[in-house]
Amino acid sequence: MTKPLFDPIINRFGTHCAKWDKMEDIYGVPAKDGIAMWVADMDFRPPAVVQAALEKMAEHGVYGYFGDESDYLAAISWWMKHRHGWEIDPAWVFTTHGLVNGTGLCVDAFTEPGDGVVLMTPVYHAFHRVIKAAGREVVECPLALENGKYMMDFDAWDAQMSGKERMLILCSPHNPGGRVWTRAELEAVAAFCRKHDLVLVSDEIHHDLVMPGHTHTPMALIDGIEDRLVMMSATTKTFNIAGTHSGNVIIADAKLRETFAARMAALGISPNSFGLEMATAAYSPEGAAWVDELVAYLDGNRRIFDAAIAEIPGLTSMPLEATYLAWVDFTDTGMSREEFTARVEKTARIAPNHGPTFGTGGENYLRFNLATPCSIVEDACTRLKEAFSDLQ
Ligand SMILES: Cc1ncc(COP(=O)(O)O)c(C=O)c1O
């Protein structure tokens, strides 16, 4: 019997990786027997087609500047059309050094110091960091919790707008919380941006990691937003090549594109050859087949994890419609944040992300990365059940 592609445990210690090599320093979770479930990368190798692209480069052995993006642009156009039903013009695509970089460039290009940037919180922590570091103000619009899922709350958010807001950064699908926003929700986001005159930056980095039964709608397919939309995507999350620091910022509107291009030029940003060669290989039928297997595997891990969490009174895992990042609410344990965090980190020896870094609404949560062999997820489940066994 062939072993599933993602079952083997690959030792990542000693590879200068953030997730495992920094775990003990940052969390005090011992490298000896700890489980790293924080940084959002996967403990899997990319598809063979991506590995082969890198091997070809290594075999050639000359690592000069990257010069011709045509293959890459053809590959990304194919991917967007075949996987997401979106026809792009290759001229709309900028290649940045990842999407945190892309976010920083957008903030820099489309807002001024002191402007407000709207986030639907809790949301990916780096957005907060980048906005604040750029001297802009984070305007937190809290998501509402309805039947255990995050929902947008435009009535409350309308009342919050002061007029100094210039941009909204949408995370679609949403991290953390794993929502796949519906078309109706995305239409409402577009209307909100028009009403408050906001540039909409739609970070769709998780768009390929959508669980069975759900469909991601690219923001670009929503009417009436094209003149204020910046879409961001990447191969890095989907294919686990985040170390290549490559991302796409895709802008259909000519005026926004000109402004963005000027910032790219001013900062001297040009493509990373490793990132582009690997991404070109990834955006292919072979890459697509691998992603289908990956998503099925992640769905299995999610089921294992959710079943275990459901057995621990007081813990609730948000149903993941997308991403491999489980968002667990500890509120009903009645414990302080210090206590439930200590039980996870010190007793269970698991390093998760801390909820408060995702902004308002994240206070009583921890985020667990499930993109690891299922035997590790099972081990984590056993440890969590033991760490909270007095609640059973
Ligand atoms: C929503 C979102 N955007 C961006 C990133 C990181 O992007 P990059 O590694 O390209 O900077 C992440 C990583 O987890 C993410 O979840």
Side-chain angles (χ1 to χ4, degrees):
M1 207 173 91
T2 51
K3 280 201 104 192
L5 202 49
F6 305 103
D7 270 353
I9 295 176
I10 301 169
N11 180 8
R12 296 182 64 190
F13 284 111
T15 62
H16 303 118
C17 77
K19 188 176 174 185
W20 292 88
D21 283 328
K22 298 293 284 177
M23 171 174 71
E24 187 152 4
D25 280 1
I26 292 178
Y27 288 93
V29 171
K32 183 169 55 77
D33 64 352
I35 304 181
M37 300 185 96
W38 59 304
V39 177
D41 68 21
M42 307 195 277
D43 298 323
F44 308 135
R45 294 204 169 88
V49 69
V50 172
Q51 194 70 14
L54 189 59
E55 280 164 12
K56 192 169 161 209
M57 288 179 83
E59 215 169 279
H60 186 249
V62 181
Y63 306 109
Y65 292 112
F66 192 81
D68 176 7
E69 289 185 54
S70 55
D71 286 347
Y72 176 67
L73 293 173
I76 185 173
S77 304
W78 179 85
W79 189 265
M80 289 304 181
K81 181 161 180 219
H82 286 88
R83 300 292 286 191
H84 298 288
W86 180 29
E87 299 244 16
I88 60 167
D89 179 336
W92 299 347
V93 180
F94 296 89
T95 303
T96 63
H97 294 170
L99 293 194
V100 176
N101 179 227
T103 304
L105 282 161
C106 288
V107 168
D108 196 29
F110 303 121
T111 69
E112 298 291 334
D115 284 350
V117 179
V118 178
L119 297 180
M120 300 176 187
T121 63
V123 74
Y124 177 49
H125 43 71
F127 294 157
H128 304 254
R129 238 184 13 243
V130 165
I131 295 165
K132 286 182 191 157
R136 275 66 163 174
E137 198 184 312
V138 173
V139 179
E140 290 198 329
C141 286
L143 289 159
L145 201 51
E146 278 175 34
N147 300 323
K149 283 189 359 180
Y150 283 133
M151 304 298 280
M152 297 176 182
D153 190 358
F154 292 103
D155 289 341
W157 301 349
D158 275 339
Q160 262 185 265
M161 295 298 106
S162 69
K164 66 168 189 238
E165 298 78 14
R166 291 280 164 272
M167 175 182 282
L168 184 153
I169 305 179
L170 173 73
C171 193
S172 176
H174 191 75
N175 163 26
R179 274 299 316 278
V180 174
W181 304 117
T182 62
R183 185 173 270 274
E185 285 170 318
L186 296 175
E187 282 166 358
V189 173
F192 183 80
C193 289
R194 281 196 305 273
K195 182 169 179 183
H196 299 286
D197 196 16
L198 307 174
V199 170
L200 173 58
V201 176
S202 183
D203 179 335
E204 301 183 25
I205 198 167
H206 296 282
H207 64 167
D208 293 312
L209 304 175
V210 173
M211 294 300 131
H214 298 276
T215 306
H216 169 78
T217 306
M219 194 70 210
L221 298 186
I222 302 300
D223 287 337
I225 192 68
E226 187 175 294
D227 61 338
R228 53 180 73 243
L229 176 65
V230 175
M231 186 274 192
M232 304 200 299
S233 72
T235 46
T236 52
K237 230 24 68 174
T238 309
F239 295 96
N240 203 32
I241 52 176
T244 64
H245 274 294
S246 281
N248 311 300
V249 174
I250 306 178
I251 311 178
D253 180 76
K255 219 160 134 238
L256 291 178
R257 208 163 56 237
E258 196 186 323
T259 307
F260 191 81
R263 292 316 294 155
M264 289 278 288
L267 295 167
I269 295 177
S270 57
N272 171 309
S273 61
F274 296 94
L276 254 65
E277 293 291 3
M278 291 165 83
T280 305
Y283 282 147
S284 62
E286 296 91 324
W290 183 90
V291 173
D292 291 341
E293 279 194 64
L294 170 72
V295 169
Y297 194 84
L298 295 175
D299 186 34
N301 280 1
R302 163 184 84 96
R303 286 168 196 278
I304 293 167
F305 187 79
D306 285 353
I309 294 297
E311 284 177 31
I312 307 174
L315 271 61
T316 313
S317 188
M318 207 167 268
L320 276 190
E321 299 170 354
T323 85
Y324 47 72
L325 304 164
W327 186 235
V328 179
D329 186 0
F330 289 78
T331 309
D332 291 343
T333 60
M335 293 175 191
S336 66
R337 182 160 73 239
E338 290 70 25
E339 181 172 356
F340 68 70
T341 306
R343 285 189 185 214
V344 171
E345 293 177 358
K346 295 197 169 40
T347 312
R349 302 176 313 290
I350 294 172
N353 283 92
H354 293 178
T357 59
F358 297 83
T360 300
E363 294 78 6
N364 288 331
Y365 286 78
L366 296 174
R367 194 191 73 175
F368 295 82
N369 179 340
L370 307 181
T372 195
C374 71
S375 58
I376 294 184
V377 174
E378 281 162 355
D379 186 2
C381 291
T382 307
R383 293 179 188 206
L384 287 171
K385 282 192 210 165
E386 277 168 17
F388 291 90
S389 57
D390 55 325
L391 301 180
Q392 319 249 343

